[in-house]
Amino acid sequence: ELDYPQRLNCAAELLDAAVERGAGERIAIVGEHESWTYAELQRRVDRIAHVLRADLGLVTGNRVLLRGANNPMMAACLLAVLKAGLIAVPTMPLLRARELTAIVDKASVDAVLCAASLRGEIDAIAALPRHVVTFNDPDNPASLEAMMARHPVPFAAHACAADDVCLISFTSGTTGIPKGTMHFHRDVLAICDCFPRHMLAAADTDIFIGTPPLAFTFGLGGLLLFPMRAGAAGVLLEKLTPDTLLAAIEKYRATVCFTAPTFYRQMAPLAANYDVSSLTRTVSAGEALPLATREAWQAATGLRMIDGIGATELLHIFISAAGDAIRPGATGKPVPGYQACILDANGQQVGPGVIGRLAVKGPTGCRYLADERQKDYVLDGWNLTGDAYEMDADGYFYYRSRTDDMIISAGYNIAGAEVEEVLLRHEAVAECGVIGRACEERGQVVEAHVVLQPGFEPTEALAAQLQDFVKLQIAPYKYPRSLRFIDKLPRTETGKLQRFKLRAT
Ligand code: 3UK
């Protein structure tokens, strides 16, 4: 089924093919100030592709760094880079000059397309690439828009090989230096033909919405590639909050939502203030979905959450479940096209009920850009995601923790997520993160960092109450012997808890 021709341009397959199929007058992308049909998007993409090739003189294989928030022009730039046979290097809007410098260097970036509002950190890079062009920059005569106006349509898609690299995506780096991962034209189509097809049954009537940045493959797939492959619409909005996302779901009558568990947890109590009845599928990824969050969301909206684990290395979601196949507590089963198993420390497969290292094989896989960690991630064709998982007899996969976050206390293995799960059920707890703190006597002790709901005071009495609350619900040796109250959990731009920062406090 995932059989693609040897000559392939993924942007042409997503965009030109949609127009040829007659989707030209349908809405492709909706932004805060504009909405473009497939034909309008195609005209912009073609003009940008001409600018890249003709004005900037970029040639096949050149790398183009993209910097912008989620909006239609950022999407057009991304597609144009792919259509012109160049390599897109999308970057997170919050990155600073220091991090951008490392990316420019590591990915050998040849040109930069940057939203005018985010230009500052680019200009602060010491060794700037040859070309830096701004977009969403109406008053600038040298802007991308001004250059686009001088070019005709169409632009003939560059005939790439299916296994030409088209995307270099950097991991969010929850622990250290971000790693660049390379993906092919065919990988981009493969993710569209796996998760959204089998788990969402995406159709051209769908309207996708959500928070993840286009620079994060979760957002790139969920808000741009998946809708296009289905001939549907993607809503791209900047700076969303739980309230503004709910308002946008109501306004645009969105049917599919992609965001992280913490966002769903914050949206659940607010959902009653909005009409979100258009939603039929909501997808949670990026972090483990706590049962308390699944239940709160379902109670608020009637929707059964579609959990899915994805990774930048594998491009998108590879284990998930939807509809009646959902098992609360489990992430799901391998998405059709992928295989998964659990390995022990020696790389041997283990059976149901044993916690081990998650290993995944499928149409997409890890290719680090000049990184010696490739051999740690891929073993005999199996991708080791760094997650501790367990399988049941029916082939469902259950997340336990990140392999290196497993807490070992007095000889017991304790998964922080299980303790978080319980704490999140207490009315005083807004958010929490549980880590292992080094301790002479026990090796590590379980330590909880708790953000309180408004109206609760961080007292010793409340800490003791929370500790007792955990002891009553799971094995007492798992309770947090140390409990600290904090105002805010440290998170990456993609919403992931930065446990290493909690450990450093
Ligand atoms: C963790 C999950 C439990 C897990 C991503 C969807 O998160 C994405 O990519 P990253 O490279 O991180 C990968 C790691 O994140 N994780 C993601 N989803 C889940 N853990 N349950 C989940 N549902 O540790 C994984 O190894 O930032 C997610 C699509 C594309 C992505 N890139």
Side-chain angles (χ1 to χ4, degrees), residues 267-474:
M267 285 200 291
L270 307 171
N273 305 333
Y274 302 87
D275 176 7
V276 296
S277 59
S278 57
L279 281 179
T280 51
R281 285 141 297 162
T282 51
V283 179
S284 168
E287 277 202 313
L289 173 66
L291 269 172
T293 302
R294 172 186 283 288
E295 286 163 14
W297 182 247
Q298 187 163 344
T301 62
L303 292 166
R304 278 191 291 181
M305 190 81 81
I306 300 174
D307 189 6
I309 178 172
T312 307
E313 286 85 348
L314 282 131
L315 201 50
H316 218 275
I317 292 173
F318 47 83
I319 294 177
S320 183
D324 291 337
I326 291 172
R327 261 192 209 182
T331 313
K333 293 184 177 188
V335 171
Y338 289 88
Q339 295 166 262
C341 66
I342 309 292
L343 303 178
D344 68 15
N346 302 319
Q348 297 299 310
Q349 284 199 25
V350 299
V354 184
I355 299 180
R357 300 189 292 167
L358 178 66
V360 184
K361 216 180 240 189
T364 55
C366 176
R367 275 170 233 110
Y368 285 128
L369 175 71
D371 203 298
E372 62 287 355
R373 284 167 290 188
Q374 175 76 19
K375 60 180 183 329
D376 301 332
Y377 202 99
V378 185
L379 196 79
D380 293 336
W382 290 95
N383 292 270
L384 301 175
T385 63
D387 296 293
Y389 258 80
E390 183 179 331
M391 216 174 77
D392 71 13
D394 301 326
Y396 277 85
F397 286 78
Y398 296 74
Y399 175 84
R400 294 299 177 230
S401 86
R402 290 287 303 168
T403 316
D404 44 17
D405 284 338
M406 192 59 89
I407 303 164
I408 303 171
S409 183
Y412 290 109
N413 276 324
I414 301 164
E418 189 185 357
V419 183
E420 289 164 13
E421 182 90 62
V422 176
L423 282 169
L424 287 172
R425 291 184 184 280
H426 194 282
E427 56 166 5
V429 178
E431 282 198 286
C432 64
V434 170
I435 55 156
R437 163 88 49 199
C439 152
E440 220 159 276
E441 190 192 340
R442 308 183 152 260
Q444 283 182 314
V445 290
V446 178
E447 179 173 287
H449 294 246
V450 173
V451 179
L452 290 175
Q453 293 281 13
F456 288 89
E457 291 301 318
T459 60
E460 272 179 40
L462 180 55
Q465 205 191 320
L466 290 172
Q467 288 168 319
D468 290 342
F469 185 75
V470 176
K471 272 192 217 165
L472 284 175
Q473 299 191 49
I474 50 177

Side-chain angles (χ1 to χ4, degrees), residues 87-356:
I87 299 172
V89 187
T91 58
M92 296 289 185
L94 290 184
L95 294 187
R96 303 300 210 124
R98 192 187 155 81
E99 295 144 315
L100 290 165
T101 301
I103 290 174
V104 163
D105 180 49
K106 194 159 179 188
S108 308
V109 167
D110 300 287
V112 176
L113 297 183
C114 179
S117 60
L118 296 174
R119 175 79 195 235
E121 295 296 324
I122 289 289
D123 288 330
I125 295 176
L128 266 183
R130 237 173 342 132
H131 304 286
V132 179
V133 179
T134 52
F135 59 91
N136 289 343
D137 197 4
D139 303 323
N140 179 352
S143 72
L144 181 60
E145 283 86 347
M147 294 164 97
M148 284 163 70
R150 296 195 286 269
H151 287 283
V153 294
F155 175 92
H158 187 79
C160 300
D163 58 0
D164 277 346
V165 172
C166 67
L167 176 72
I168 297 177
S169 187
F170 280 84
T171 60
S172 28
T174 31
T175 48
I177 313 125
K179 291 164 278 198
T181 66
M182 299 185 284
H183 297 286
F184 298 157
H185 281 269
R186 69 164 143 79
D187 299 344
V188 167
L189 295 181
I191 57 164
C192 297
D193 295 338
C194 288
F195 175 76
R197 178 163 298 175
H198 295 288
M199 297 295 135
L200 306 178
D204 64 1
T205 46
D206 276 317
I207 300 168
F208 290 67
I209 202 166
T211 61
L214 290 175
F216 181 26
T217 65
F218 182 32
L220 179 66
L223 303 178
L224 182 64
L225 308 174
F226 299 172
M228 291 187 75
R229 187 66 164 167
V235 183
L236 294 174
L237 300 171
E238 309 180 13
K239 299 196 186 80
L240 286 165
T241 66
D243 264 305
T244 60
L245 176 53
L246 285 162
I249 291 168
E250 172 176 319
K251 177 174 175 190
Y252 300 107
R253 307 294 300 154
T255 60
V256 182
C257 179
F258 281 80
T259 188
T262 49
F263 227 83
Y264 285 113
R265 181 167 169 85
Q266 293 170 277
M267 285 200 291
L270 307 171
N273 305 333
Y274 302 87
D275 176 7
V276 296
S277 59
S278 57
L279 281 179
T280 51
R281 285 141 297 162
T282 51
V283 179
S284 168
E287 277 202 313
L289 173 66
L291 269 172
T293 302
R294 172 186 283 288
E295 286 163 14
W297 182 247
Q298 187 163 344
T301 62
L303 292 166
R304 278 191 291 181
M305 190 81 81
I306 300 174
D307 189 6
I309 178 172
T312 307
E313 286 85 348
L314 282 131
L315 201 50
H316 218 275
I317 292 173
F318 47 83
I319 294 177
S320 183
D324 291 337
I326 291 172
R327 261 192 209 182
T331 313
K333 293 184 177 188
V335 171
Y338 289 88
Q339 295 166 262
C341 66
I342 309 292
L343 303 178
D344 68 15
N346 302 319
Q348 297 299 310
Q349 284 199 25
V350 299
V354 184
I355 299 180

